[in-house]
Amino acid sequence: MANNLVVVVTGSNRGVGKGIVELLAKQKLERPLTIYATSRSGENANIKASSPNEIRYQKLDTKDSASIQSFFNIALKEQTALDVLINNAAVSNDYRETPDYAAETVQTNYGGTRDMCKAFLAQPNLKPGSRIVNVTSGYNLLKTYGQDIQNRFRAVTEISDLDAMADDYLKVVKLGQEAQQEAGWGSGARSYKVSKALNNAVTILLAKQHPEVLINSCCPGWTDTAMGNQAQGGTPPKTPQEGARVPVRLAIGDLGPKGDEDGALGHDTEKISGHFFENVNIMAPGWGKAKLWLDL
Ligand SMILES: NC(=O)c1ccc[n+]([C@@H]2O[C@H](COP(=O)([O-])OP(=O)(O)OC[C@H]3O[C@@H](n4cnc5c(N)ncnc54)[C@H](OP(=O)(O)O)[C@@H]3O)[C@@H](O)[C@H]2O)c1
């Protein structure tokens, strides 16, 4: 299809990722959507798409650079360019945190997102106005880190600065809780939060480095998924399709205030990039509002 908008979703076999594909697939927009619903298995989830939208199921393990390369090779043989990337795939090992699980969390969530962004931005026919959506979390305010770590987040100018922060964090986790706290990373299991803070920071950095692309991050809110049910304090109030609203708005909606009420999917957008979108609280089912993570 010549005029189709090509959207890639990672970790789409269950949870918020599946909700994102379902919400995208039922849209009836001027431009038909071609949705790459990717997952580690590549399984066909039989999600219904409104014609002429189509869903293509592909294998993609975001922690494996060969798998990322193979996915882009396949997709770019089928399409001239990929228009939107939604980095949704993630793990949380907070309930069983050890140095090894912390490394798995940071490598999957931060490393996978970083590598997918790099591959997307390196496309030979990358179009101005393409978008990246990094699904992060509202539970990782910058002010929860010590002053030194906050300063490092503010001073980032290269991806290697963030890689060095990830390495330093994982070194300190091996030394134990006291060292982790003294270094300013906070107390208790922090790898999930740190990985998402790194993703908010990589969003801001890449938005500066690629002004022609709209790159934002967001929190889906507290959603009824395997990960959402790890949290204490009751049942997550949002369905996966409600959790999908903010990411889908950032993918195909209006990024300016016009999109705050209902996403304004398929409409022209203000060129907002490097922002973090969330609702008034994690229970609210809305379409999100832009904030600056470095101010939070
Ligand atoms: N649920 C919430 O309340 C909540 C709140 C804030 C933020 N979030 C964020 O929302 C996103 C989706 O979370 P969720 O609640 O849907 O989690 P989930 O139910 O645990 O699903 C996670 C998804 O990520 C995939 N995944 C994990 N590692 C992967 C890898 N290496 N390569 C490809 N896919 C991988 C999983 O695939 P497998 O089936 O193969 O494991 C699964 O599809 C995450 O970024 C999460 O941090 C969720």
Side-chain angles (χ1 to χ4, degrees):
M1 272 180 283
N3 189 34
N4 61 338
L5 189 76
V6 183
V7 185
V8 179
V9 187
T10 67
S12 74
N13 51 310
R14 59 189 171 97
V16 173
K18 190 172 183 190
I20 291 172
V21 174
E22 288 168 344
L23 187 55
L24 285 169
K26 67 184 187 192
Q27 298 306 315
K28 292 181 191 283
L29 306 177
E30 210 172 292
R31 291 179 72 183
L33 298 174
T34 297
I35 304 159
Y36 281 90
T38 74
S39 63
R40 285 197 269 212
S41 68
E43 72 190 317
N44 182 332
N46 289 315
I47 296 170
K48 200 177 163 312
S50 298
S51 177
N53 297 336
E54 59 160 343
I55 301 175
R56 297 187 180 200
Y57 296 93
Q58 279 291 345
K59 214 172 177 153
L60 173 56
D61 180 340
T62 58
K63 209 169 74 158
D64 175 356
S65 54
S67 175
I68 292 178
Q69 197 52 59
S70 159
F71 168 73
F72 276 88
N73 287 346
I74 291 168
L76 289 173
K77 264 196 197 120
E78 296 174 349
Q79 312 294 336
T80 328
L82 309 181
D83 299 298
V84 183
L85 166 63
I86 306 180
N87 282 310
N88 162 79
V91 294
S92 171
N93 289 302
D94 277 5
Y95 65 97
R96 57 179 178 186
E97 184 98 315
T98 61
D100 284 347
Y101 279 125
E104 191 208 15
T105 305
V106 171
Q107 280 154 15
T108 304
N109 299 1
Y110 166 62
T113 296
R114 174 201 60 203
D115 293 348
M116 284 297 295
C117 288
K118 282 185 183 172
F120 181 86
L121 292 166
Q123 291 178 69
N125 298 322
L126 181 70
K127 294 184 208 145
S130 298
R131 301 191 194 188
I132 296 177
V133 181
N134 292 327
V135 181
T136 64
S137 164
Y139 270 140
N140 67 101
L141 303 182
L142 185 62
K143 67 179 177 211
T144 63
Y145 294 89
Q147 201 54 57
D148 285 356
I149 302 296
Q150 291 187 32
N151 292 344
R152 285 181 74 180
F153 273 121
R154 290 182 200 287
V156 165
T157 55
E158 300 293 338
I159 285 198
S160 56
D161 297 332
L162 289 169
D163 291 347
M165 289 183 77
D167 288 346
D168 289 350
Y169 165 71
L170 292 175
K171 270 187 210 139
V172 118
V173 167
K174 283 192 188 148
L175 299 175
Q177 273 295 314
E178 212 174 305
Q180 177 186 312
Q181 225 172 318
E182 261 173 32
W185 294 104
S187 60
R190 292 285 288 179
S191 65
Y192 176 77
K193 292 187 174 78
V194 168
S195 70
K196 296 294 183 175
L198 290 164
N199 283 352
N200 282 332
V202 84
T203 301
I204 296 165
L205 173 66
L206 291 174
K208 270 192 207 137
Q209 292 178 335
H210 299 270
E212 75 289 4
V213 181
L214 304 173
I215 307 173
N216 293 291
S217 60
C218 65
C219 178
W222 191 21
T223 307
D224 193 5
T225 66
M227 195 187 291
N229 278 287
Q230 280 182 25
Q232 306 293 315
T235 307
K238 299 176 73 165
T239 65
Q241 280 196 39
E242 287 171 342
R245 284 183 185 165
V246 188
V248 166
R249 181 250 178 121
L250 299 196
I252 60 166
D254 194 320
L255 300 171
K258 275 187 245 151
D260 289 359
E261 291 307 312
D262 60 2
L265 306 185
H267 290 212
D268 276 348
T269 184
E270 285 184 40
K271 307 265 177 287
I272 289 182
S273 196
H275 283 62
F276 170 70
F277 287 69
E278 65 178 349
N279 283 311
V280 283
N281 61 53
I282 57 168
M283 323 283 265
W287 296 83
K289 200 173 173 53
K291 298 180 178 177
L292 292 170
W293 184 69
L294 290 177
D295 290 346
L296 298 179

